[in-house]
Amino acid sequence: MKQKTDYLRRTLPAVAVHAAVVLAWYLWVELGDVPQYVMPSPLDTVMSIFEEYNWLHNTLVTAGEVFFGYLLAVVVGVGMALAFSWWRMLSDTFMPLVVSLNMIPKVALGPLFIVWFSYGFFPNVIIAFSICFLPILLTTARGMSEVEPELIDLVRALRGTKWQIFTKIQLPGSLPYIFSGMKVAVVLAVAGAIVGEFIASEEGLGYLMLQVQVTLDTAAMFMAVLLITLVGVALYGLVLLLERIFVVGDSRLEAGA
Amino acid sequence: MSESFIHLNEVRKVYRTRGEEFLAVSDVTMDIDVGELVSLVGPSGCGKTTVLKILAGLHPHDGGTVRIGAGEHDFDPSRDVGMVFQASLLLKWRRIIDNVLLPAELLGLPKKESLDRARDLLHMVGLDGFEDKYPYELSGGMQQRAAIARSLVHDPKLILMDEPFGALDALTREKMNLELLRIWSESKKTIIFVTHSIPEAVLLGSRCAVLTAGPARMADHFTIDLPYPRNLDMKTHERFGVYTRRIYKLLEME
């Protein structure tokens, strides 16, 4: 019972603040007599969902690009971090390069990717992937290197294999790090997919935004932004859920959210 | 005369880093019988931990003889070593029982038997009812008890302890010393116990080896002829004082 009231006390202010922002937005537009093509009201925004913009299809396309780019980033990022932790030479050789690559604003590579991979669903998956995989690689590599050497001694004294060290110690031990990298990467993956759609595409919410920009249907642009955000929120929620399942309470706190 | 369980003769280890040689330990000569609790005492850098790593088969030695196992007490280096360190090194994401089971998992021992044994060991180290807790729910002393149970779960013949109580507060440490003596007498294992603490070395050991730093070598080893079961009162006995003074002298601290 007490837990429930605690939960309410913590979530209520958050809900109230969000509601207040929407209300302020509504009042500003209504009372300030702002033209709709500059700033649609919350109601106009919601109503734009009934316009014939193929919302569902475009949202699914963007969500797909985000999801597959993100999934690829997690698999490749964790895989590379593992390889780096197993072969010291690999890490010494390529880690500096990875850090340098991380400094490139990946968004700027968008036009190049279009040249290399043409445009459409797959190139956008690649852009989403490339923009979000480095943070996952870097945090995971950090997590894998945090294993106490004495714990490795303990396993090696019993002639444990590298694979056992990975599955029983390194991987579960670096999960908090992997998840903190994955949380940062969600927003990046969404940005990557949208950038791809902005540059060249025939479908997706980014594509749709450019279409309705021409007709000054600002309400639909707001709706598109809202849906893009929801795609990100859904993925973030999924990651949080997985973290809750796989990471035990104390280790979660330690690595920070 | 029957052969000793562990035979060390003139064991020596040199580390090489960036072309420079660094003597980690030398002159390690002693024989250890089955069921002994040998304390290795000395300052930092004297090579105590190196001796443990050689015994665990983690480091090759550069000179001398190391033989473990004799006659009916054969020794399989790939499964007969249990280790306890200064940090409990319990896996944060595993419940205590699953932490204790780690060595059994690594060796692929039968699950049912291992689980029964793990429960028995948790009972022996006084952690009844903590099977399903996570490490962060236990105090430092309790975590070390769990680590000791883990070192015993695969029924190894040799337990290596590297300052297992070094991070505990003084009172908990004394309590854990008595606990270890009890666990040792119940489990009848051969234990090598590394410590910085001279009173701890004397209180626990059936034998004590003294190592010095600069140069890193084993200065002496001798039997500690105090009766078992031992208790904290013995620290005030005259014979206890004789042994501690002898060690202080070897370490040139008086």
Side-chain angles (χ1 to χ4, degrees):
Chain A
M1 190 62 204
K2 183 167 180 301
Q3 263 189 336
K4 203 170 176 186
T5 49
D6 272 359
Y7 179 74
L8 274 178
R9 196 177 302 146
R10 270 184 293 123
T11 48
L12 219 57
V15 173
V17 164
H18 283 80
V21 168
V22 174
L23 185 69
W25 170 15
Y26 179 78
L27 290 176
W28 178 47
V29 172
E30 290 296 315
L31 302 178
D33 212 12
V34 182
Q36 208 201 336
Y37 65 88
V38 174
M39 192 73 172
S41 77
L43 196 64
D44 297 331
T45 303
V46 173
M47 293 312 282
S48 70
I49 197 89
F50 297 110
E51 288 173 59
E52 288 293 314
Y53 288 130
N54 229 339
W55 288 111
L56 184 64
H57 173 73
N58 285 317
T59 306
L60 286 178
V61 167
T62 301
E65 291 165 356
V66 170
F67 181 76
F68 287 111
Y70 185 76
L71 194 66
L72 194 62
V74 172
V75 172
V76 174
V78 173
M80 276 180 74
L82 173 64
F84 280 5
S85 83
W86 276 5
W87 294 289
R88 182 70 185 280
M89 231 191 56
L90 212 60
S91 165
D92 288 350
T93 313
F94 290 108
M95 208 54 172
L97 179 66
V98 167
V99 173
S100 304
L101 288 178
N102 194 34
M103 298 307 290
I104 301 176
K106 258 69 66 185
V107 175
L109 296 177
L112 273 174
F113 283 139
I114 304 295
V115 171
W116 291 336
F117 304 111
S118 175
Y119 66 95
F121 189 83
F122 175 70
N124 288 343
V125 167
I126 296 294
I127 295 176
F129 157 78
S130 68
I131 203 170
C132 78
F133 115 94
L134 283 171
I136 295 177
L137 168 60
L138 290 172
T139 51
T140 307
R142 167 95 199 283
M144 300 240 180
S145 65
E146 293 278 290
V147 181
E148 290 94 341
E150 288 170 327
L151 208 45
I152 307 277
D153 279 351
L154 193 143
V155 178
R156 281 183 50 222
L158 298 172
R159 306 299 185 266
T161 60
K162 269 188 171 179
W163 183 247
Q164 282 178 319
I165 291 177
F166 173 64
T167 56
K168 292 188 189 299
I169 294 168
Q170 274 185 311
L171 183 62
S174 38
L175 277 181
Y177 293 88
I178 296 177
F179 275 106
S180 72
M182 279 171 69
K183 284 191 242 172
V184 173
V186 167
V187 183
L188 295 174
V190 176
I194 297 299
V195 164
E197 290 175 357
F198 276 175
I199 297 170
S201 62
E202 291 174 329
E203 51 187 358
L205 291 170
Y207 161 81
L208 186 69
M209 279 192 80
L210 295 185
Q211 299 306 301
V212 295
Q213 188 193 28
V214 178
T215 58
L216 273 186
D217 188 348
T218 320
M221 290 177 75
F222 265 70
M223 193 65 211
V225 171
L226 190 66
L227 288 171
I228 291 165
T229 310
L230 285 179
V231 168
V233 168
L235 185 56
Y236 195 82
L238 180 68
V239 173
L240 278 186
L241 183 71
L242 290 174
E243 186 186 36
R244 224 158 247 284
I245 294 170
F246 288 112
V247 181
V248 172
D250 185 52
S251 25
R252 190 161 55 212
L253 292 175
E254 223 166 285
Chain B
M1 200 185 112
S2 69
E3 273 190 302
S4 56
F5 180 52
I6 300 175
H7 172 72
L8 302 170
N9 188 40
E10 297 287 322
V11 176
R12 166 188 182 83
K13 173 77 188 172
V14 179
Y15 290 116
R16 288 169 193 84
T17 44
R18 289 184 223 95
E20 273 190 64
E21 292 203 346
F22 162 72
L23 182 66
V25 75
S26 62
D27 291 344
V28 179
T29 299
M30 76 188 297
D31 286 275
I32 299 166
D33 287 327
V34 165
E36 274 199 277
L37 198 171
V38 178
S39 41
L40 299 185
V41 65
S44 302
C46 70
K48 307 181 296 264
T49 300
T50 303
V51 174
L52 284 197
K53 289 196 171 184
I54 290 170
L55 288 172
L58 293 169
H59 286 341
H61 53 286
D62 295 315
T65 319
V66 176
R67 181 184 51 70
I68 312 179
E72 55 183 303
H73 300 289
D74 58 332
F75 178 81
D76 178 354
S78 66
R79 60 137 291 135
D80 275 336
V81 174
M83 296 178 96
V84 183
F85 301 92
Q86 180 167 356
S88 70
L89 299 178
L90 297 174
L91 304 173
K92 294 192 274 278
W93 56 90
R94 285 183 175 223
R95 295 172 194 281
I96 295 302
I97 187 84
D98 295 321
N99 262 297
V100 172
L101 282 168
L102 179 70
E105 276 175 36
L106 292 170
L107 293 168
L109 303 181
K111 287 206 174 70
K112 177 78 179 62
E113 286 87 333
S114 303
L115 191 62
D116 289 343
R117 188 170 160 77
R119 285 189 205 287
D120 289 347
L121 286 168
L122 281 175
H123 172 73
M124 182 170 89
V125 300
L127 283 181
D128 280 310
F130 288 92
E131 288 86 350
D132 292 329
K133 299 275 188 216
Y134 285 100
Y136 69 91
E137 299 176 275
L138 272 60
S139 68
M142 286 156 90
Q143 291 187 12
Q144 280 311 68
R145 290 167 192 256
I148 292 171
R150 176 177 63 186
S151 76
L152 291 164
V153 75
H154 49 301
D155 201 15
K157 294 183 175 151
L158 177 62
I159 311 287
L160 305 172
M161 299 189 168
D162 196 352
E163 296 184 47
F165 310 136
L168 302 178
D169 65 85
L171 290 175
T172 310
R173 185 171 189 158
E174 297 205 312
K175 200 171 159 203
M176 288 304 292
N177 282 341
L178 298 178
E179 282 288 289
L180 177 64
L181 284 168
R182 183 181 59 77
I183 292 165
W184 173 55
S185 71
E186 283 181 30
S187 67
K188 301 182 175 59
K189 298 291 181 193
T190 308
I191 298 179
I192 315 287
F193 186 97
V194 161
T195 179
H196 273 124
S197 159
I198 292 168
E200 191 174 64
V202 175
L203 181 69
L204 296 180
S206 59
R207 198 116 57 98
C208 180
V210 183
L211 287 85
T212 59
R217 58 184 292 269
M218 185 160 142
D220 196 6
H221 70 95
F222 44 84
T223 302
I224 294 178
D225 194 11
L226 292 168
Y228 289 98
R230 293 183 184 170
N231 54 52
L232 295 175
D233 274 350
M234 287 184 180
K235 288 192 174 184
T236 58
H237 285 194
E238 193 190 331
R239 284 233 304 278
F240 194 93
V242 170
Y243 286 119
T244 55
R245 271 196 298 280
R246 181 167 175 185
I247 297 172
Y248 278 117
K249 198 159 213 155
L250 284 163
L251 297 176
E252 291 169 348
M253 288 172 74
E254 61 173 34

